[in-house]
């Protein structure tokens, strides 16, 4: 039985991880620590809060005293560290918050873990750090995918902050003997994803007849991973991963952004044609009049320093830990689309003034 502290557990990936873990390991105890910034939503965890093995704590990873108290009082033996500022555009316009949360916040967690787990008791433990493929920089069209040995070359303040936190985690293993592991994942998608991200943004904008803003030519390529496949990878690392090691978790599923937008438009048009209630629910959508939503595509000025391609070589986690994604992109994107259509009240609550202002600033 494990006692887990999940940081950022009210965010997109963290929320899905909590439900995944509670379902698979019903005897384990989970404490979520989340500051509930704009992308953290306590309502995500409504069902989890009905479980006596779950506890939510509203607090910040920068509060070392709070973290130490949680580690001691709940006999925490495993930290799964999701908490991070994660949107590249926001990091370009306001990098300070990324430095503070992603670097200083991670270091604060490491200091607390060292104090409670090593300095006081030297108890069995694991600190797992969730990172990103963006730390590796960008790839050309014919370059081989990133491996765990690819040199770091971050190109955005977000990627640089995550690279820095990766180095700190590694250093705490090498210097102090903290049992750490790191996973660098490709682009996640699925339920509970904040609407500023590409896939939910396209879905919601089609439903409300809003432009679909595409950076540059839209040929930027990403490797896409369904969120619960990511969680399965983290599970395997916690179970069988070697302390001090890094594991890349990818879907081996490269798509250009513009092709994903066209796919979602095609799927939504088909959904509307098969379900007449959608036309009543979203009467302004072009799909409600049997018009193709791709007409909403609008190419905008490219993002500063926009990486052209990411791709993950996941052979290490596959060969060493037995990781194989369960979802194809076709099955995963259909699940995601259905979830967003079925959960309008959830995402409608997030479409507040700050989000609308952010859209206006970035996609004007």
């Amino acid at each position: 039985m494990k006692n887990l502290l999940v940081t950022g557990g009210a965010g997109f990936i963290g929320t899905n991880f909590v439900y995944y873990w509670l379902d698979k390991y019903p005897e384990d105890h989970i404490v979520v620590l989340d500051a509930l910034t704009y992308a953290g939503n306590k309502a995500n965890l409504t069902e989890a809060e009905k479980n006596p093995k779950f506890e939510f704590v509203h607090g910040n990873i920068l509060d070392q005293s709070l973290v130490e108290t949680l580690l001691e009082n709940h006999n925490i033996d495993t930290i799964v560290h999701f908490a991070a500022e994660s949107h590249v555009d926001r990091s370009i316009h306001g990098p300070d918050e990324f430095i503070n949360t992603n670097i200083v916040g991670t270091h604060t967690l490491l200091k607390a873990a060292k104090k409670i787990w090593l300095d006081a008791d030297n108890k069995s433990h694991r600190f797992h750090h969730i990172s990103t493929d963006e730390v590796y920089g960008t790839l050309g069209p014919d370059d081989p995918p990133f491996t765990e040995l690819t040199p770091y070359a971050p190109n955005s303040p977000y990627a640089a902050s995550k690279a820095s936190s990766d180095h700190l985690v590694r250093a705490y293993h090498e210097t102090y003997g903290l049992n750490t592991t790191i996973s660098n994942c490709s682009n996640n998608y699925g339920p509970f994803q904040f609407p500023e991200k590409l896939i939910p943004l396209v879905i919601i904008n089609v439903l409300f007849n809003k432009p679909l803003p595409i950076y540059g030519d839209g040929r930027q390529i990403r490797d896409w991973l369904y969120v619960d496949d990511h969680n399965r990878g983290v599970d395997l690392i916690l179970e069988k991963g070697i302390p001090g090691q890094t594991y890349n978790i990818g879907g081996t599923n490269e798509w250009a952004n513009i092709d994903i937008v066209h796919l979602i438009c095609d799927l939504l048009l088909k959904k509307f044609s098969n379900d007449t209630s959608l036309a009543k629910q979203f009467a302004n959508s072009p799909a409600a009049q049997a018009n193709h939503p791709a007409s909403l595509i609008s190419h905008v000025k490219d993002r500063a320093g926009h990486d052209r391609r990411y791709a993950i070589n996941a052979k290490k986690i596959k060969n060493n830990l037995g990781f194989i994604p369960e979802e194809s992109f076709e099955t995963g994107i259909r699940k995601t689309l259905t979830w967003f259509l079925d959960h309008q009240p959830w995402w409608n609550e997030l479409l507040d003034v700050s989000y609308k202002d952010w859209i206006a600033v970035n996609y004007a």
Side-chain angles (χ1 to χ4, degrees):
M1 187 182 77
K2 287 185 171 68
N3 295 313
L4 292 83
L5 176 65
V6 179
T7 70
F12 160 48
I13 305 177
T15 292
N16 282 280
F17 178 82
V18 166
Y19 285 118
Y20 167 88
W21 201 271
L22 288 173
D23 180 63
K24 186 171 180 183
Y25 302 102
E27 297 304 313
D28 288 358
H29 181 69
I30 292 182
V31 178
V32 162
L33 175 62
D34 200 296
L36 297 180
T37 57
Y38 78 96
N41 184 358
K42 191 168 183 286
N44 292 359
L45 300 168
T46 299
E47 290 302 312
E49 290 191 300
K50 299 175 183 177
N51 190 318
K53 295 289 188 177
F54 173 85
E55 182 174 337
F56 178 83
V57 177
H58 183 194
N60 201 305
I61 60 172
L62 290 158
D63 186 343
Q64 184 174 339
S65 176
L66 172 61
V67 175
E68 291 172 6
T69 298
L70 293 175
L71 294 179
E72 286 190 305
N73 289 355
H74 295 277
N75 197 28
I76 299 295
D77 51 52
T78 304
I79 294 175
V80 186
H81 177 33
F82 290 98
E85 295 288 340
S86 65
H87 198 268
V88 175
D89 289 340
R90 289 181 184 268
S91 81
I92 293 170
H93 295 292
D96 289 2
E97 197 64 35
F98 287 72
I99 303 303
N100 200 37
T101 298
N102 297 354
I103 302 176
V104 181
T106 298
H107 188 223
T108 301
L109 284 173
L110 288 164
K111 288 190 293 181
K114 174 181 175 292
K115 181 177 178 179
I116 302 303
W117 288 343
L118 297 183
D119 298 347
D121 195 15
N122 198 26
K123 66 181 292 184
S124 177
H125 65 272
R126 175 66 65 86
F127 185 114
H128 183 70
H129 176 60
I130 307 294
S131 191
T132 172
D133 56 2
E134 296 192 39
V135 300
Y136 299 121
T138 189
L139 293 169
D142 300 318
D143 290 338
F146 302 127
T147 73
E148 291 81 359
L149 298 179
T150 300
Y152 278 24
N155 290 321
S156 70
Y158 161 63
S161 70
K162 290 299 288 185
S164 299
S165 64
D166 290 5
H167 291 318
L168 283 169
V169 173
R170 183 181 186 277
Y172 265 70
H173 172 76
E174 295 293 334
T175 302
Y176 303 113
L178 198 69
N179 286 335
T180 66
T181 42
I182 298 171
S183 56
N184 296 84
C185 69
S186 54
N187 278 34
N188 278 217
Y189 68 99
F192 296 105
Q193 190 166 29
F194 194 76
E196 69 188 359
K197 300 291 188 172
L198 176 66
I199 289 174
L201 178 69
V202 171
I203 294 170
I204 293 169
N205 282 15
V206 166
L207 297 178
F208 288 102
N209 195 29
K210 302 295 184 183
L212 305 179
I214 307 299
Y215 281 130
D217 62 4
R219 301 309 304 176
Q220 302 87 1
I221 293 174
R222 302 291 183 261
D223 178 19
W224 292 89
L225 179 69
Y226 189 68
V227 64
D228 267 350
D229 280 328
H230 180 193
N231 292 327
R232 292 181 189 99
V234 173
D235 185 1
L236 286 168
I237 294 169
L238 291 174
E239 179 189 1
K240 298 190 288 186
I242 299 172
Q245 292 289 301
T246 293
Y247 298 88
N248 284 349
I249 308 177
T252 316
N253 177 45
E254 294 183 51
W255 280 73
N257 288 346
I258 189 66
D259 293 335
I260 289 180
V261 175
H262 279 288
L263 174 63
I264 294 172
C265 289
D266 290 343
L267 291 175
L268 277 171
L269 185 62
K270 188 174 293 185
K271 282 271 191 183
F272 272 73
S273 66
N274 292 335
D275 183 353
T276 56
S277 69
L278 289 174
K280 297 176 182 178
Q281 186 177 358
F282 304 105
N284 291 330
S285 175
Q289 286 79 45
N291 295 324
H292 205 290
S295 61
L296 297 172
I297 291 174
S298 173
H299 290 267
V300 299
K301 183 180 178 181
D302 206 355
R303 169 196 290 162
H306 202 173
D307 292 336
R308 194 64 175 172
R309 174 175 169 246
Y310 305 139
I312 284 282
N313 180 327
K315 287 183 179 179
K316 179 177 177 179
I317 192 171
K318 177 182 177 182
N319 294 340
N320 295 359
L321 306 184
F323 172 75
I324 299 175
E326 291 186 6
E327 300 292 343
S328 67
F329 193 62
E330 180 180 356
T331 62
I333 201 69
R334 289 180 185 276
K335 284 185 176 182
T336 302
L337 184 57
T338 298
W339 189 90
F340 274 89
L341 289 173
D342 290 344
H343 289 81
Q344 184 183 2
W346 176 85
W347 48 260
N348 212 42
E349 287 291 319
L350 302 179
L351 301 183
D352 59 10
V353 174
S354 62
Y355 170 66
K356 291 172 183 173
D357 285 348
W358 181 86
I359 290 292
V361 168
N362 286 279
Y363 293 123

